[in-house]
Amino acid sequence: MAMRRVLALSRRRVLPLLADAILPADCLACGRPLRVEHRLGACLECWARLRPLLPPLCLSCGLPAPRDSDLLGPAGGRCAACVLDPPPHGGARAAVAYDDDARRFLLAAKLSGRRRLLEPLGEQLAAAVRASGLAEGCTLVVPVPAHPWRRLARGYDPAGDLARVAASRLGLPLGTRFLARRILAAPAAKRLPAVRRAKAAAAAFRALRPTRGERVLLVDDVMTTGSTAAACAIALVRAGAVEVRVAVWARTLPGSPAGPRGRRPDRRL
Ligand SMILES: [Zn+2]
Ligand SMILES: [Zn+2]
């Protein structure tokens, strides 16, 4: 009887203490105290503030169509920028816009050690890919490899976690050993057109094994200028891939401070 009382007491007292120790106490985005049911680090209001990227989107770069673009016309669903300067991949899709709210989620997942957060973010990425049909015909999911030093410092690879969740939800094999990032690589000149910049940046990545005949779904956490994804796509195609498509969790939008026009890649990540 006494033992039963001790057990009941420990369940009431110890479990909440354990939960408090394991679970974050404040919302990672707004800082308000979390109730225990908000197990993934953010309050429901902050989750709801993430902005999904919904059609009409350019089939090539995945950006929302500018008002003056003609996605149904002869451009074949591509925006004017992609017609003039086509990216070396077969299409890109993002789950959400990379704004201040999305940035807080990603920083928490990448810099504050809240690795579990990558699971729902990966689910969002997989849902966006499924809704767009981007993965149709794909045979392999490959994450953009982290810089070896960052991976060492962090102990995990956020894009790798997102790719694992996406591969599992989409029912595709995951290939974590197809691409590597060179430790020392010269930065690509920023004034070059996208394709030439990507070709120069492609030197930063090398294929570790052939991708002959594969149609690759390349996964990354965030896309700013798109040059990293383009560089990986070029490296994978050189290794034999038929096509590379790009899925990211968040995408900077034109006109935003960190967007493609502003060209301010996020160096803290
Ligand atoms: Zn919040
Ligand atoms: Zn486009």
Side-chain angles (χ1 to χ4, degrees):
M1 192 66 189
M3 181 55 84
R4 203 177 296 165
R5 217 175 299 145
V6 169
L7 280 177
L9 194 69
S10 64
R11 252 202 306 272
R12 272 206 310 274
R13 294 257 169 89
V14 177
L15 289 184
L17 280 178
L18 267 178
D20 281 346
I22 295 165
L23 303 171
D26 299 324
C27 170
L28 62 90
C30 68
R32 281 184 299 192
L34 285 176
R35 295 203 301 271
V36 171
E37 66 266 28
H38 298 150
R39 295 180 58 231
L40 290 164
C43 69
L44 297 180
E45 290 83 352
C46 286
W47 277 106
R49 264 211 305 275
L50 292 173
R51 283 191 296 151
L53 284 181
L54 301 171
L57 303 168
C58 167
L59 289 180
S60 194
C61 65
L63 287 172
R67 219 177 303 155
D68 57 351
S69 71
D70 178 15
L71 292 185
L72 298 175
R78 292 182 297 161
C79 70
C82 287
V83 171
L84 291 172
D85 194 4
H89 53 70
R93 204 46 105 240
V96 300
Y98 190 50
D99 54 15
D100 284 346
D101 292 307
R103 183 184 155 86
R104 278 191 276 268
F105 274 76
L106 212 49
L107 288 176
K110 296 177 79 166
L111 300 180
S112 308
R114 293 183 176 181
R115 185 179 182 180
R116 288 187 315 148
L117 194 54
L118 292 164
E119 182 95 17
L121 304 191
E123 306 259 8
Q124 291 179 338
L125 183 152
V129 167
R130 200 181 291 116
S132 65
L134 185 75
E136 271 168 33
C138 283
T139 53
L140 183 67
V141 176
V142 172
V144 170
H147 193 287
W149 291 339
R150 283 193 186 151
R151 190 195 171 101
L152 200 66
R154 201 178 280 143
Y156 59 95
D157 182 356
D161 279 18
L162 293 174
R164 180 179 45 73
V165 176
S168 136
R169 298 302 179 272
L170 297 166
L172 292 170
L174 174 67
T176 53
R177 296 185 191 281
F178 279 82
L179 269 183
R181 197 185 281 250
R182 291 183 210 275
I183 292 179
L184 296 173
K190 287 187 177 172
R191 287 180 186 278
L192 293 174
V195 169
R196 286 183 57 202
R197 196 171 61 241
K199 279 187 178 157
F205 296 91
R206 65 191 170 92
L208 297 175
R209 57 181 68 179
T211 47
R212 201 160 298 116
E214 303 279 8
R215 188 162 264 116
V216 178
L217 184 70
L218 181 74
V219 171
D220 205 357
D221 46 20
V222 64
M223 189 191 270
T224 49
T225 64
S227 62
T228 298
C232 290
I234 288 172
L236 288 165
V237 168
R238 280 182 185 158
V242 180
E243 190 186 13
V244 178
R245 300 178 195 157
V246 184
V248 296
W249 177 67
R251 178 86 161 88
T252 48
L253 301 183
S256 68
R261 306 285 190 273
R263 298 216 187 280
R264 200 195 67 190
D266 197 334
R267 300 202 182 282
R268 285 185 59 201
L269 299 176

